[in-house]
Amino acid sequence: MAKMIHSMIRVSDLDRSIRYYQQTLNLHPAGRFDMEDFSLVYLRNEESEFELELTFNRDAEEPYSHGSGYGHLAVSVEDARSFHAQMQEQGFNPTELKEFGQGEQIMARFFFLTDPDGYKIEVLERLGRFQ
């Protein structure tokens, strides 16, 4: 059986991205590998072993294109309303908090953040299948 261990995104300013993910999702470097042409930083927190790999290519001159295939990263939080308010207070410009479901049952309560390189992050409340 396969175990998911990380997802990688390319970033244009490594320090800015590390700060962003520390301030928004409490992700901290768990490993850093600086090579001649690139750096890899693996971010995680105590909530999960899954890591976000930030790849910084020193020779990149143009902003990265997300293409038509990239959708978003997703994280779960205990209380989406309070986390949304916290992100607003800190100036991270979350999208509107939304809910959807079937009948009386709420299936998801969520909003999105956008990191400095334009990557979307879906923030879901821990309910239903989004534990």
Side-chain angles (χ1 to χ4, degrees):
M1 179 174 309
K3 175 183 175 183
M4 298 284 286
I5 58 172
H6 75 257
S7 183
M8 182 277 281
I9 58 174
R10 290 182 183 3
V11 300
S12 59
D13 182 326
L14 189 56
D15 292 331
R16 177 183 69 179
S17 292
I18 291 170
R19 277 192 311 275
Y20 177 86
Y21 284 99
Q22 285 176 331
Q23 293 171 347
T24 59
L25 304 179
N26 196 32
L27 296 176
H28 300 279
R32 181 175 180 141
F33 304 92
D34 294 308
M35 309 299 177
E36 185 176 330
D37 297 332
F38 64 94
S39 289
L40 306 174
V41 176
Y42 294 88
L43 304 177
R44 66 192 263 184
N45 64 27
E46 64 281 349
E47 294 284 330
S48 173
E49 292 180 17
F50 189 83
E51 295 178 324
L52 177 61
E53 175 188 324
L54 304 179
T55 297
F56 173 69
N57 293 309
R58 291 184 197 356
D59 64 352
E61 296 177 12
E62 299 291 322
Y64 293 109
S65 166
H66 299 168
S68 61
Y70 175 79
H72 62 265
L73 298 171
V75 299
S76 66
V77 297
E78 287 294 327
D79 181 347
R81 284 187 181 98
S82 65
F83 195 77
H84 184 269
Q86 180 184 349
M87 294 297 99
Q88 280 183 313
E89 289 170 11
Q90 293 179 7
F92 289 112
N93 302 315
T95 63
E96 178 184 347
L97 184 66
K98 295 185 178 186
E99 293 180 353
F100 73 84
Q102 294 181 319
E104 299 288 318
Q105 182 180 9
I106 296 174
M107 295 175 63
R109 182 175 294 125
F110 65 98
F111 64 91
F112 283 87
L113 295 169
T114 304
D115 89 349
D117 288 284
Y119 293 105
K120 302 292 183 194
I121 305 159
E122 184 178 22
V123 179
L124 292 142
E125 187 163 311
R126 290 184 185 140
L127 54 90
R129 73 179 318 269
F130 304 114
Q131 300 295 317

